[in-house]
Amino acid sequence: MMTRRLIVIGGDAAGMSAAAQARRMAPADALEIVAFERGSRTSYAACGLPYLIGGLVESPDRLVARTPEQHRANGIDVRICHEVLAIDVKAATVTVRDLDKGQETDMHYDELLIATGASGIVPPWPGIDAEGVLQLRTLDDAAEVERRIGAGARRAVVVGAGYIGLEVAENLLARGLEVTVMERLDAPMGAVLDADMAAAVADAMREAGVDLQLGTAVTGFTVTDGHVSAVQTAAGSVAADLVLIGLGVRANVELARAAGMEVGEAGGIVVDEQQRTHTPHVWAAGDCVESRHRVTGRAVVVALGTHANKQGRVAGTNIAGGEASFGGVLGTAITKFQDLEIARTGLTEREAEAAGLDAFGVITEASSRAHYYPGGQSMRIKIVAERQTGRMLGAQIVGGQGAGKRIDVLATALWNKMSLDEVGGMDLSYAPPFSPVWDPVLLAAGKAAAKL
Ligand SMILES: Cc1cc2nc3c(=O)[nH]c(=O)nc-3n(C[C@H](O)[C@H](O)[C@H](O)COP(=O)(O)OP(=O)(O)OC[C@H]3O[C@@H](n4cnc5c(N)ncnc54)[C@H](O)[C@@H]3O)c2cc1C
């Protein structure tokens, strides 16, 4: 039997999920697996980085699910500090640089998986390269934040009030820093929530002591002796000795594009449901690809670890000769700011309108527990639905403990295209410590159905 070679570019969630799945399914004499990672770590949970800087996670090693040595022991030839510089799809080779030795080599592949992830958006603002202006994307970034806090940084400005901005702000506050969050839009979480749901997030941030500056566009940084000393905006400047940029991400598609692969309008590598690109024997997964949105049917790039892991597993299964498909995305996501849980699935009302749908939104206020049982937390649930058909398009939840994960019930309903009536009548669990007799999800679906 000929041994085929799978080359994986990118040693994190998507790449190593694919490699591990292919390894499980195909014996080593049938499939050799070589994974190139330009960094020095593999399979680390970027999702845990904010909690590492906040001190909830005690060491960087806790965020590493599998080290390069563990992958090697599992039969995957992981080469860290190796950057893939080019792909030649005709010759079926990749050009790789060993970053330690500075040597370049070409290696042949029978199957290639591109899992190069995404990079943070960094606008060309004056002073952006100053020391102390950072992103939080890798363990090295977290170490740098830690070093600067250790060196006496006290005033932090977070640019962007999306998920990562919020999580970073919460954790810098926990470390005792003064935190300003600057956001160009008029509400935090503007890409995630409708404004009528985001107000509670703004309130929580301000109550916690964050100087939340909405409608504030950053124009540049004041740099003193090479180090950031203030953030400039149209309204004036704010002193800072640490700046964290959290402005979203862009898929890393340069290698694929240069090799002639198709990059879609949403900005990711185009793949089918098996994670196959249009180029024979080349697969792609994770933050670098486009996925199908299950509500709009459109191609989108949704950079989340949950998709990267699943897509990697699908790619690994198919590469090893099995059969698996990725079912698409709803953009289901959850985060928190201190005690406030924030979650969404599907489309916001604004997104639905932008997609040309005739949508309406209904907000329901409810409690997480029976009214007589102590400790109930209030929550707001917004259901977004299409006026003509009555189909659910999306949902958002903002509330206290026990609110956020309720989004998964609504995501399940949305995934399965259930009607609002069906959702309102579902058999959900009830006991006073966990919910009122009508769970907030049932109430919200019923209230939205009544508007049809
Ligand atoms: C602070 C933070 C918090 C997050 N929180 C959540 C969360 O709560 N929930 C959630 O679902 N998602 C979260 N995410 C997103 C999640 O981490 C990503 O979606 C996930 O890591 C994507 O996995 P990936 O393998 O596609 O890409 P990445 O994790 O970016 O991995 C790509 C890898 O490819 C390597 N690489 C790139 N180009 C080359 C090359 N040419 N040669 C060799 N190696 C290369 C990179 O060094 C990198 O290690 C968070 C992300 C961050 C940064």
Side-chain angles (χ1 to χ4, degrees), residues 56-426:
L56 264 181
V57 178
E58 67 269 20
S59 90
D61 292 341
R62 299 271 301 139
L63 295 185
V64 178
R66 269 197 187 174
T67 62
E69 294 73 28
Q70 288 169 323
H71 282 299
R72 281 184 209 119
N74 189 33
I76 299 166
D77 179 1
V78 173
R79 306 195 190 174
I80 54 169
C81 304
H82 278 66
E83 181 167 14
V84 174
L85 303 178
I87 302 165
D88 182 336
V89 296
K90 283 213 184 89
T93 57
V94 295
T95 303
V96 191
R97 177 180 288 148
D98 178 333
L99 298 174
D100 289 333
K101 296 186 183 144
Q103 285 168 356
E104 282 179 28
T105 44
D106 288 349
M107 188 184 271
H108 172 76
Y109 63 78
D110 295 290
E111 305 292 335
L112 175 68
L113 174 77
I114 304 174
T116 45
S119 298
I121 294 171
V122 182
W125 290 325
I128 191 98
D129 294 328
E131 277 187 50
V133 180
L134 307 171
Q135 299 183 67
L136 186 62
R137 295 208 49 79
T138 63
L139 284 163
D140 288 344
D141 294 336
E144 186 59 18
V145 173
E146 189 58 48
R147 201 179 69 73
R148 291 189 178 274
I149 294 174
R154 286 290 161 264
R155 292 163 305 184
V157 173
V158 178
V159 183
Y163 291 109
I164 292 178
L166 235 68
E167 292 174 3
V168 167
E170 171 185 335
N171 284 286
L172 290 177
L173 270 185
R175 294 293 299 274
L177 276 77
E178 284 170 36
V179 180
T180 300
V181 175
M182 294 181 176
E183 167 59 52
R184 191 174 47 85
L185 302 173
D186 292 330
M189 308 292 284
V192 176
L193 299 176
D194 285 319
D196 47 12
M197 295 295 285
V201 180
D203 291 347
M205 292 174 80
R206 289 189 170 124
E207 273 167 31
V210 172
D211 175 14
L212 177 63
Q213 302 195 1
L214 298 173
T216 301
V218 170
T219 53
F221 304 97
T222 309
V223 182
T224 310
D225 297 333
H227 197 284
V228 68
S229 54
V231 182
Q232 298 160 1
T233 74
S237 70
V238 171
D241 26 41
L242 180 61
V243 174
L244 268 301
I245 308 280
L247 294 170
V249 296
R250 233 175 243 128
N252 290 333
V253 296
E254 298 75 16
L255 270 181
R257 201 197 299 271
M261 275 167 231
E262 190 179 350
V263 174
E265 278 182 20
I269 300 169
V270 176
V271 290
D272 65 13
E273 289 183 356
Q274 285 73 47
Q275 303 302 135
R276 214 181 264 113
T277 70
H278 293 171
T279 305
H281 303 291
V282 183
W283 312 72
D287 284 2
C288 60
V289 304
E290 292 185 350
S291 307
R292 184 179 58 87
H293 197 289
R294 284 178 73 96
V295 176
T296 62
R298 293 182 186 169
V300 288
V301 175
V302 180
L304 286 174
T306 176
H307 308 317
N309 279 285
K310 292 186 194 102
Q311 291 174 346
R313 178 181 280 246
V314 166
T317 300
N318 292 322
I319 290 167
E323 280 179 29
S325 300
F326 181 68
V329 302
L330 291 172
T332 309
I334 186 165
T335 189
K336 74 176 190 70
F337 182 82
Q338 297 190 339
D339 295 333
L340 191 72
E341 301 181 356
I342 304 153
R344 57 85 47 92
T345 187
L347 305 179
T348 61
E349 198 175 346
R350 189 175 30 76
E351 286 168 340
E353 281 159 8
L357 297 164
D358 184 11
F360 69 96
V362 178
I363 292 177
T364 301
E365 309 261 358
S367 171
S368 63
R369 293 176 172 173
H371 69 274
Y372 51 83
Y373 193 92
Q377 302 283 318
S378 63
M379 72 182 83
R380 281 160 80 81
I381 301 186
K382 179 168 181 173
I383 304 278
V384 179
E386 190 174 34
R387 218 175 289 277
Q388 281 139 348
T389 61
R391 73 173 167 139
M392 189 163 70
L393 299 173
Q396 298 152 61
I397 302 180
V398 177
Q401 200 182 15
K405 277 300 262 182
R406 281 183 158 95
I407 203 70
D408 288 341
V409 176
L410 292 161
T412 307
L414 194 57
W415 185 273
N416 289 299
K417 301 185 169 59
M418 291 172 69
S419 72
L420 286 172
D421 271 337
E422 281 174 316
V423 180
M426 272 194 305

